[in-house]
């Protein structure tokens, strides 16, 4: 039994002596891999270099954390101190190389990477004609990326890039006015340029210098226009100096340049007043008013349409004075239609002359022609006037619209005379309470029995109302009625107000308060849009120029 107890004691002592004790505490000189960075001189595999410093001897603090004091003396990337092998450090760059401009760029921001290398990708390289979207550039030369004037809210034009590669909008343009004619449309920009689109002809009715067909507004190269009018195969303008120019068909001298040669581009009206206040292009004739309020017309003398007391098959290729026999005062507005013309004097009295078939001169008579201005049979004073193919309309001082002439499809807006004519002015029905500021009669130059016409008017709230023929959507109501005697409200796009209205053969156009033009009706010859749509029953934006 004694031998067994001795053996057990020996065995116990032996086991106790051989027990291995792990590193339990900081300061024993052994690095505990679980929680110590170091212990005494034991730093494991770490060194100043492995910690990102450029040199030094890594020490151990008494709390078994690294002491990097001697390491820091040699520096590291990110300490904000520029070292020999660093291109930069945090916000520190070599002297004289701290900005993009310092290193040869035109702008932007140098960046120091986490590796202390210079990143110049945000610097601008203005002047290399390549737009750098990552640099401080809006553009470069002719490179604007995907940006256009239209992206910046304009109708058209071209962006400009300045010497600092910043975009300038001086080349962008909006639209000031629009004129709708016989299968074509012309617009005047706020930069005094004229663009036309639609059906061209051998006479060059678009005024673009050629007879080619176009589907988008195309420049006439005019850069100084202040007023614009188009009619059948012609167009005219008045520039900022008051001088008049016309283009298109000139077979009977309607361009007014002293010749009978068709003009593909605008040419000066000669042989008459040097300056003009108003001008209007009709069918084979043109009329205007000089700065003194005197009327002139030129072109064919048929039906007495020149108002110079002549009629027949003659013509004049320079302006001829309109007879003043019946006029009470100087003229302020003149409009030419198909075979007749009308004007307003300074008192608001309306006068018409030329063909009076169907009562289109508004004189209340059956006289077939008036060769000089004859007062319209009303005591109303008007401030706006429009002349169409076979009817005329005017707006009086109270904002009421009055019309006279043919009413085959309700273009007078007068229920009692639908399908007939009115030789005296009649008020438009169905617009009680509305106050109008302007009116537009369609430029229909065919016989009424072949193609009826329509009328539109702008009210004081920025809405447009149309009546008459609507088969091509020219009433703008979203429908295409054969005709409507009652005025229909044009579907005004949200966020805009209409500012003016003009009526073509079977399309209508209007300007808005944002410098854009909206059109509706026939698009058979792309007089509205380059779209393949033949017609639009509600307003669409006229596209930008090509």
């Amino acid at each position: 039994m004694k031998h067994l107890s001795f053996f057990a004691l020996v065995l116990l002592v032996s086991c106790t002596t051989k027990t291995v004790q792990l590193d339990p505490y900081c300061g024993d000189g052994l690095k505990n891999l679980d929680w110590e960075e170091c212990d005494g001189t034991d730093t494991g595999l770490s060194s100043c270099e492995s910690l990102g410093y450029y040199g030094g001897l890594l020490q151990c603090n008494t709390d078994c954390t690294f002491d990097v004091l001697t390491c820091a003396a040699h520096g590291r990337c990110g300490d904000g101190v520029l070292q020999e092998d660093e291109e930069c450090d945090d916000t520190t760059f070599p002297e004289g190389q701290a900005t993009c401009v310092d290193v040869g760029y035109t702008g932007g921001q140098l960046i120091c990477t986490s590796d202390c290398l210079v990143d110049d990708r945000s610097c601008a390289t203005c002047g290399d004609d390549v737009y750098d979207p990552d640099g401080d550039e809006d553009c470069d030369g002719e490179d604007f990326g995907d940006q256009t004037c239209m992206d910046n809210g304009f109708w058209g034009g071209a962006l400009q890039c300045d010497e600092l590669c910043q975009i300038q909008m001086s080349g962008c343009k909006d639209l000031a006015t629009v004129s709708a004619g016989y299968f074509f449309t012309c617009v005047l920009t706020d930069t005094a340029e004229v663009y036309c689109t639609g059906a061209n002809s051998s006479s060059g009715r678009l005024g673009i210098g050629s007879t080619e067909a176009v589907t988008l507004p195309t420049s006439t190269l005019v850069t100084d226009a202040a007023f614009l009018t188009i009619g059948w195969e012609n167009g005219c303008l008045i520039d900022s100096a008051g001088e008049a120019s016309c283009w298109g068909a000139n077979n009977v001298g309607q361009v007014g340049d002293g010749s009978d040669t068709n003009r593909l581009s605008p040419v000066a009206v000669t042989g008459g007043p040097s300056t003009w206040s108003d001008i209007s292009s009709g069918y084979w004739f043109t009329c205007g008013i000089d700065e003194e309020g005197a009327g002139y017309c030129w072109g064919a003398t048929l039906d007495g349409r020149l108002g110079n007391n002549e009629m027949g098959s003659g013509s004049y290729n320079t302006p001829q004075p309109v007879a003043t026999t019946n006029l009470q005062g100087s003229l302020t507005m003149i409009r030419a239609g198909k075979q007749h013309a009308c004007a307003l004097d300074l008192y608001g009295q309306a006068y018409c002359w030329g063909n009076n078939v169907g009562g289109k001169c508004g004189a209340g008579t059956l006289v077939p022609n008036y060769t000089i201005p004859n007062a319209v049979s009303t005591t109303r004073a008007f401030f706006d006037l429009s002349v169409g193919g076979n009817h005329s309309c005017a707006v009086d001082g109270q904002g009421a619209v009055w019309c006279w002439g043919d009413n085959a499809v309700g273009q007078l807006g007068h229920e009692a005379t639908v399908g007939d004519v009115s030789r005296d002015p009649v008020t438009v029905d169905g617009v009680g309470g509305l106050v109008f500021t302007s009116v537009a009669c369609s430029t229909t130059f065919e016989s009424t029995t072949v193609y009826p016409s329509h009328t539109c008017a702008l009210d004081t709230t920025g809405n447009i109302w149309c009546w008459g023929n609507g088969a091509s959507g020219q009433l703008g109501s979203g429908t295409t009625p054969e005709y409507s005697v009652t005025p229909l409200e044009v579907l005004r796009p949200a966020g805009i107000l209409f500012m003016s209205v003009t009526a073509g053969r079977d399309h209508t156009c209007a300007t808005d308060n944002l410098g854009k033009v909206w059109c509706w009706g026939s698009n058979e010859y792309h007089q509205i849009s380059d779209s393949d749509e033949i017609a639009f029953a509600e307003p669409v934006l006229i596209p930008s120029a090509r």
Side-chain angles (χ1 to χ4, degrees), residues 56 190 263 299 308 324 331-332 376 461 471 520 526 531:
D190 58 2
R263 300 300 183 182
N308 63 342
T324 60
L331 300 181
T332 59
V376 173
T461 66
W520 54 95
H526 300 289
S531 166

Side-chain angles (χ1 to χ4, degrees), residues 65-223:
T65 59
F66 289 136
D67 177 0
V68 296
L69 186 61
T70 61
C71 298
H74 290 76
R76 67 178 294 177
C77 180
D79 62 3
V81 179
L82 190 64
Q83 305 293 332
E84 181 179 356
D85 294 329
E86 295 177 340
E87 293 183 358
C88 56
D89 198 313
D90 195 18
T91 60
T92 304
F93 292 83
E95 185 176 354
Q97 301 179 50
T99 67
C100 289
V101 174
D102 289 341
V103 295
Y105 295 99
T106 57
Q109 180 66 50
L110 284 177
I111 297 173
C112 191
T113 69
S114 60
D115 297 326
C116 288
L117 299 174
V118 172
D119 181 355
D120 62 359
R121 288 176 296 175
S122 293
C123 291
T125 53
C126 181
D128 64 359
D129 294 329
V130 178
Y131 167 53
D132 179 9
D134 295 321
D136 190 22
E137 293 183 348
D138 290 337
C139 55
D140 201 321
E142 297 298 320
D143 188 353
F144 297 90
D146 294 328
Q147 300 180 85
T148 66
C149 286
M150 289 74 79
D151 294 330
N152 289 277
F154 293 91
W155 170 73
L159 295 171
Q160 306 294 318
C161 192
D162 66 19
E163 65 277 5
L164 298 178
C165 290
Q166 302 301 301
I167 287 178
Q168 300 298 318
M169 306 292 182
S170 57
C172 296
K173 62 197 71 173
D174 277 326
L175 299 178
T177 191
V178 59
S179 184
Y182 191 72
F183 295 126
F184 70 120
T185 305
C186 293
V187 294
L188 172 61
T189 71
D190 58 2
T191 54
E193 300 167 81
V194 175
Y195 293 80
C196 295
T197 186
N200 211 343
S201 63
S202 59
S203 63
R205 73 171 72 166
L206 297 186
I208 60 174
S210 74
T211 60
E212 70 171 307
V214 298
T215 60
L216 287 171
T218 303
S219 176
T220 63
L221 302 182
V222 170
T223 59

